[in-house]
Amino acid sequence: MCDGVYQIIVSLRGFWSQKKMPQAKRYRRFAVLVPAHNEAMVIVPLLKSLAGQNYPKNCYKVYASCDNCTDNTAELARENGAVALERFDDEHNGKTWNVRWALTKIPFEEYDALAMFDADNLADRNFLMSMNNYMELHPEAEAIQGVLDVKNPDDNWLTRSYALAYWFTNRFWQLARGLWGLSCTLGGTGLVIRTATLERIGWNLQSLTEDLEMSTRLILSGSRVHWNDAAVIYDEKPQDIAISKRQRTRWMQGHYWVFWNYGWDSLKAFFVTRKLQYLDLFLYLLAPAKSCLGIIIMIAGMAFTLVNNMVLYPSSDIPQSMLEWTLFFGLPVFSIIAFCLLCAIAGPSMHEKKFTLRYVKDTFAYFWFGLTWIPILFKAAFLAKDQGKWVKTEHTRGISLDDVKTKS
């Protein structure tokens, strides 16, 4: 109950906006890293969006780290102005290992910061400029997360559900925390980390969610992740529910692992320092386990209410017991549907910067999307010890930045 009230209070700050940033007086140098594995279908639009940045071309260089590629990803990277780093290691594959290896190949003494994108992304033309402006305005910022938008929201009900989740989270979770002075979380792409921070903390990450683990390590080191609402990237979301479940299971596997390895340290840091940032981190890391426990309690409570009433009361009173069971079950479901409706209105409205009811029709699809998380949460809890197997999410939507802008 207290956690719910706390989350509501924090999220209300999402109705505010970040102040417009002044133009920076100098251009910082960025190393732009794109981890890739057989991404020939989608990497070219990303590289074109990076080549078209509204930023001095001599102040950034793109590195495509091609991990065990069997297609022409490396060739396409070179053709589109990137430095292709080719890696072949059958034993240690996946993004976590790929990034760790690539960071040893980039001459960081030549750069001020690292920007990272997934191969299926598109970068807004002002991404690097906005990050440079933010770094000048906030010299204490060691890690900055940009806005994660969706490049294919209208493909089907699933991608629209992802879009609703991201639009709501961007505003009422990430931005809200940034405005409160709390730490946001890295999203694995569309992020910038100062090279000095990489040297201080390193990238020796072990989980399947290297972004969450890095966020946690940053926070526990006394720093925090900043949010830049002016730096936007577009991410492809899966159109197939089976692929989506595999992706989200991997996310939750990593989330549980990070909780068990860092959660208690964050709680201890809160009691020692009394800084809300550490408690906020602990509550976030605890969220999947708390959700599982809540589901178990709700189901057990419904079963107990039904069985208890049917055993203790005469048959003539069964309709009364059914009414109690319905209320016990119906109120949580009604509350969740109401929240889904809120997400379908508030998220898109803040995203489009005008009130819209366009996605109200997707409320029940979003509710169903939420239900699909339930088996994922429980399955991932049993798989959390395994952080070695990376299952790639296939990307196929090779659309351009102009196409996305036109649709939006």
Side-chain angles (χ1 to χ4, degrees):
M1 181 66 178
C2 293
D3 181 27
V5 173
Y6 166 75
Q7 300 296 347
I8 291 173
I9 292 173
V10 171
S11 67
L12 289 175
R13 196 67 185 271
F15 287 105
W16 279 255
S17 296
Q18 280 186 332
K19 294 180 180 179
K20 187 175 180 180
M21 294 177 291
Q23 182 70 34
K25 295 180 180 179
R26 75 177 183 92
Y27 296 110
R28 287 152 187 81
R29 291 182 56 81
F30 292 93
V32 180
L33 176 60
V34 181
H37 170 67
N38 290 344
E39 301 287 7
M41 294 183 67
V42 294
I43 197 171
V44 172
L46 167 66
L47 296 176
K48 288 183 177 179
S49 72
L50 291 174
Q53 286 291 296
N54 179 27
Y55 201 72
K57 299 298 181 285
N58 64 335
C59 290
Y60 71 97
K61 182 176 288 187
V62 180
Y63 295 85
S65 185
C66 307
D67 182 38
N68 294 294
C69 290
T70 56
D71 62 3
N72 61 335
T73 297
E75 180 182 347
L76 292 173
R78 295 187 185 97
E79 290 175 357
N80 286 274
V83 176
L85 307 172
E86 296 189 75
R87 174 179 183 268
F88 299 95
D89 186 338
D90 294 332
E91 183 178 354
H92 302 107
N93 53 26
K95 182 179 177 181
T96 301
W97 286 99
N98 187 16
V99 172
R100 185 188 301 184
W101 174 83
L103 295 183
T104 66
K105 304 299 179 182
I106 299 174
F108 279 115
E109 66 276 4
E110 300 177 8
Y111 302 101
D112 297 291
L114 170 77
M116 193 182 306
F117 302 89
D118 285 340
D120 60 290
N121 295 164
L122 297 168
D124 182 81
R125 293 180 178 88
N126 292 315
F127 182 91
L128 291 179
M129 184 68 76
S130 296
M131 284 297 187
N132 186 59
N133 292 342
Y134 193 97
M135 292 173 72
E136 181 145 322
L137 186 62
H138 300 276
E140 80 285 1
E142 295 191 81
I144 311 164
Q145 178 61 54
V147 176
L148 299 181
D149 206 339
V150 179
K151 77 178 185 182
N152 59 327
D154 294 318
D155 281 357
N156 60 19
W157 73 272
L158 183 57
T159 60
R160 283 193 295 274
S161 296
Y162 270 102
L164 291 176
Y166 272 67
W167 293 337
F168 190 87
T169 301
N170 284 339
R171 195 79 195 191
F172 298 102
W173 182 276
Q174 298 277 46
L175 173 62
R177 277 165 170 74
L179 293 176
W180 279 115
L182 296 170
S183 181
C184 308
T185 54
L186 295 173
T189 183
L191 59 91
V192 165
I193 301 178
R194 292 184 187 269
T195 53
T197 302
L198 287 172
E199 292 176 1
R200 179 172 70 87
I201 296 181
W203 196 271
N204 188 27
L205 307 175
Q206 303 176 55
S207 71
L208 289 172
T209 49
E210 75 288 336
D211 48 358
L212 177 59
E213 187 179 356
M214 186 64 176
S215 301
T216 302
R217 291 177 63 174
L218 271 168
I219 296 169
L220 292 178
S221 74
S223 186
R224 69 182 179 98
V225 179
H226 289 240
W227 178 258
N228 186 350
D229 211 42
V232 182
I233 67 108
Y234 300 88
D235 187 37
E236 179 184 330
K237 296 305 171 190
Q239 305 168 60
D240 181 85
I241 188 64
I243 295 175
S244 171
K245 287 181 178 178
R246 286 198 299 270
Q247 181 188 58
R248 288 181 284 153
T249 299
R250 171 169 54 82
W251 291 349
M252 287 300 100
Q253 277 182 256
H255 196 123
Y256 280 117
W257 188 92
V258 174
F259 169 66
W260 285 116
N261 284 272
Y262 296 96
W264 307 115
D265 290 337
S266 63
L267 187 60
K268 179 181 177 181
F270 168 69
F271 285 119
V272 170
T273 66
R274 296 295 191 270
K275 290 184 178 180
L276 185 60
Q277 178 166 291
Y278 297 114
L279 178 61
D280 189 68
L281 171 63
F282 174 76
L283 293 175
Y284 178 61
L285 295 179
L286 180 65
K290 185 182 67 176
S291 297
C292 287
L293 181 60
I295 293 168
I296 292 172
I297 292 174
M298 186 178 72
I299 294 175
M302 289 188 296
F304 178 81
T305 300
L306 180 61
V307 173
N308 187 58
N309 283 323
M310 292 181 69
V311 170
L312 296 180
Y313 293 97
S315 59
S316 59
D317 290 329
I318 287 180
Q320 176 65 27
S321 69
M322 292 299 293
L323 175 61
E324 293 178 7
W325 186 85
T326 301
L327 289 174
F328 194 97
F329 176 75
L331 287 177
V333 171
F334 176 79
S335 299
I336 295 172
I337 293 176
F339 176 73
C340 291
L341 177 61
L342 173 64
C343 292
I345 297 175
S349 294
M350 301 304 290
H351 175 258
E352 297 180 12
K353 295 180 173 58
K354 63 180 181 180
F355 182 76
T356 178
L357 298 175
R358 177 185 172 191
Y359 290 93
V360 168
K361 67 182 186 303
D362 298 299
T363 298
F364 286 98
Y366 190 55
F367 172 69
W368 177 250
F369 177 69
L371 292 181
T372 65
W373 275 98
I374 295 176
I376 291 171
L377 289 171
F378 285 95
K379 179 180 179 180
F382 292 98
L383 299 175
K385 288 185 178 180
D386 180 13
Q387 297 294 308
K389 186 177 181 181
W390 179 280
V391 180
K392 179 179 179 290
T393 301
E394 295 296 333
H395 301 118
T396 61
R397 302 290 277 116
I399 57 181
S400 69
L401 184 62
D402 288 336
D403 290 337
V404 173
K405 293 288 189 179
T406 300
K407 290 179 182 179
S408 59

